[in-house]
Every structure is written in structure tokens, then in C-alpha cells.
DNA sequence: TATTGTTATACTCTATAACTATA
DNA sequence: TATAGTTATAGAGTATAACAATA
């Protein structure tokens, strides 16, 4: 297990940086086409998977809880999301997409032309390979015994 | 050529969102460990490849030219970059990393522990495959005749 | 006591428009 | 006239600290 990342890792890191930049730029442009910022678009995307409490939303988005208030305020003002009191814990507010919010998320995703074109150009076999590799690099919990 | 992106594309988009989100979070944390914002870290990363005029920098970072002034101001105040007048065009200012700036970029990259661990866990063959796939999806200029 | 959501504050990022100095 | 960099401005994101309501 080398402590110095090899030159192969260097190249991959660089490539990931470029890929992220392209993906993020595409996403930002698609969100802007709907009159939304990247953070607002990302928030809607997360809510697409289901309702979420304010605090859970902040955790998922990796930002401070105090930020969510403003972001949700603006989205709610545009009727893309709705705040609902939790029935079980009166401190908690559950945020959920409105029908218009759902339509907007889908529009953003459909507007990511560059990324979609890049993926559509990929043969099915390569598509499966890419899925597999991304999962192994990014969603494997990096376990491997952090020396206890 | 289907106009509706198949369900396979759906899954890949979701996976890309999660993967690049993880990469971005890792990068942001590593930059914060050096007392920098993500935008400042990204700016340093771009300058790692070589000096650049203010406007070219803005173009590379996909932001308005007026933003660069503030970002470079703050980096220069911390002696991570330097502004130099261009010898050939007196309107142009060339920005370049200082030695401390170079050290900082390297520290940020070395601080991306989660991403580095995920990549290091990948066998060489898979590493090459991932490079190949990312290149094809994101750095292929999406040519294919936008109907003229 | 601890937690949820909010407010207040300060700083950064971001785009638009207008300005200057060059070209 | 066109371009490079800057300034002014306004809106949005961000973290920290403090707060009220609830657990």
C-alpha cells in the first residue's frame, strides 16, 4: 500500500476534476434556465427522492442548518416546495416538493444536454462498466479498518 | 437514437450526481482545511497548470470576469498568487502561483482522503478503464452535427 | 439538557452595468 | 471601436453564534 499516490492517480484526479467541472457547469446552466441557482437546483434534486426534515436536508447537502432556512424560503416563495409540520415531533418541519417542483426538477435534468449526450453516446456495456467503477470508487464506504 | 433517455441513463445520472457530489465535498473540505473556499481552491488548481491572464482565468472557471478581481485580491493578500503586468499588452495582467501557493494546491490535493482512498483501492486495469470512460463522456466535444 | 428551526451577522460568490486604460 | 481589468451594486450562498419552542 503505497503512501505516495502514483502518477496514475494523478491523472485520474485531474480527469475527475475536469469531469466534475463539466457536469457541474451543465447542471448550473440547466438550473439557471429554470431561473434557479445551483444550490436551489441541488436542493430540489435531493427532495425528488422524498420529503425531508430541514436538518436532514442540511446534512445531505453538507451545509449548515441555518442556510436551509433561506434556501427553502426562496423555493417556497416560488411554490416549488412546501413546509409541513411533523405530526410526531412538533419541532420538526418536513419539506416536500410541490407538483410544480417535481416538474422543475425533471426540466433541469432534461436540460443537461452535454452530459446526457455524453452518456447516450456510450454503448450499453461501457455504461454498465462506468456504473460499476463509480460505485466502487465513491459509494464504497472506504472501509478497510481505520486502525482502532 | 432514442429521444427519451432510457432508464439506464437515469441510473447513471443519479450515480454521477452522487459521485461528483462526493468528490466536490471532499475537495471543499480539503480546501477549508487550508482556510480557503472552494472557488479559491479551484482557482489555485487552475493556476497550477501555469500562469493565466485574468480574463482567461474567468473563462476557464466559467464565471464573469468581474468575479476574478475579488477572488485574486484575496488570494494575493495571502501571498498565494501574484499579479504581473504583461510585457506585450499593457491592459493584461498575468496571474501566477507563488511558492506558497504551489504548496497549498498540493496540500489540498493530498487532503482529499476519501477520493484518494477510493482511487487507490482500484486495480490498475480498472483505473485505466475509468480514465477512458470519463474521457469519452466528458471531454469528447459532443460533436455529432447540431442540425444546421 | 439536548435538539429543531430560526434569526442576526459577517464574509464570500455571483452577475449586471458602468468606468479606465489601453489596443 | 473593441478589449482587459476594475469598481459599484444587489442578490444569493455560507458559517458562527445566539435564541425560542419542544423533546
Amino acid at each position: 500500500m503505497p503512501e505516495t499516490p502514483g502518477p496514475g492517480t494523478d491523472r485520474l484526479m485531474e480527469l475527475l476534476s475536469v469531469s466534475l467541472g463539466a457536469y457541474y457547469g451543465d447542471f448550473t446552466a440547466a438550473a439557471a434556465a429554470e431561473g434557479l441557482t445551483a444550490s436551489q437546483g441541488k436542493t430540489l434534486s435531493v427532495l425528488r427522492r422524498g420529503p425531508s426534515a430541514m436538518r436532514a436536508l442540511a446534512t445531505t447537502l453538507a451545509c449548515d442548518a441555518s442556510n436551509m432556512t433561506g434556501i427553502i424560503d426562496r423555493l417556497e416563495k416560488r411554490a416549488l416546495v412546501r413546509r409541513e409540520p411533523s405530526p410526531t415531533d412538533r419541532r420538526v418541519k418536513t419539506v416536500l416538493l410541490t407538483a410544480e417542483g417535481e416538474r422543475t426538477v425533471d426540466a433541469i435534468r432534461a436540460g443537461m444536454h452535454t452530459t446526457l449526450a455524453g452518456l447516450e453516446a456510450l454503448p450499453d456495456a461501457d455504461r454498465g462498466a462506468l456504473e460499476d467503477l463509480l460505485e466502487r470508487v465513491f459509494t464504497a464506504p472506504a472501509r478497510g479498518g481505520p486502525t482502532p
Side-chain angles (χ1 to χ4, degrees), chain A:
Chain A
M1 41 190 78
E3 294 201 339
T4 344
T9 303
D10 265 30
R11 225 178 99 63
L12 251 179
M13 288 288 280
E14 181 69 17
L15 211 42
L16 277 174
S17 167
V18 172
S19 301
L20 171 65
Y23 178 91
Y24 189 68
D26 204 20
F27 178 81
T28 303
E34 296 294 318
L36 297 173
T37 66
S39 290
Q40 290 169 343
K42 204 176 169 190
T43 301
L44 292 186
S45 297
V46 169
L47 289 173
R48 192 72 173 83
R49 295 168 208 156
S52 169
M54 294 290 289
R55 182 147 305 252
L57 209 45
T59 302
T60 304
L61 292 169
C63 73
D64 192 85
S66 62
N67 298 333
M68 292 317 306
T69 302
I71 294 178
I72 295 299
D73 277 354
R74 290 171 207 112
L75 290 174
E76 196 169 28
K77 206 173 300 180
R78 293 181 51 176
L80 300 176
V81 305
R82 214 172 57 234
R83 267 185 256 232
E84 273 188 6
S86 161
T88 67
D89 187 333
R90 290 167 56 186
R91 294 172 302 178
V92 174
K93 286 178 190 169
T94 304
V95 186
L96 40 99
L97 285 185
T98 63
E100 176 69 5
E102 277 185 21
R103 193 204 60 75
T104 303
V105 185
D106 294 344
I108 291 176
R109 235 225 26 185
M112 297 181 65
H113 303 115
T114 305
T115 303
L116 285 172
L119 291 181
E120 296 291 343
L122 219 55
D124 279 1
D126 292 333
R127 223 177 278 196
L130 181 54
E131 281 183 19
D132 178 60
L133 289 166
L134 287 178
E135 249 171 26
R136 281 158 62 197
V137 172
F138 289 105
T139 74
R143 42 189 158 232
T147 37

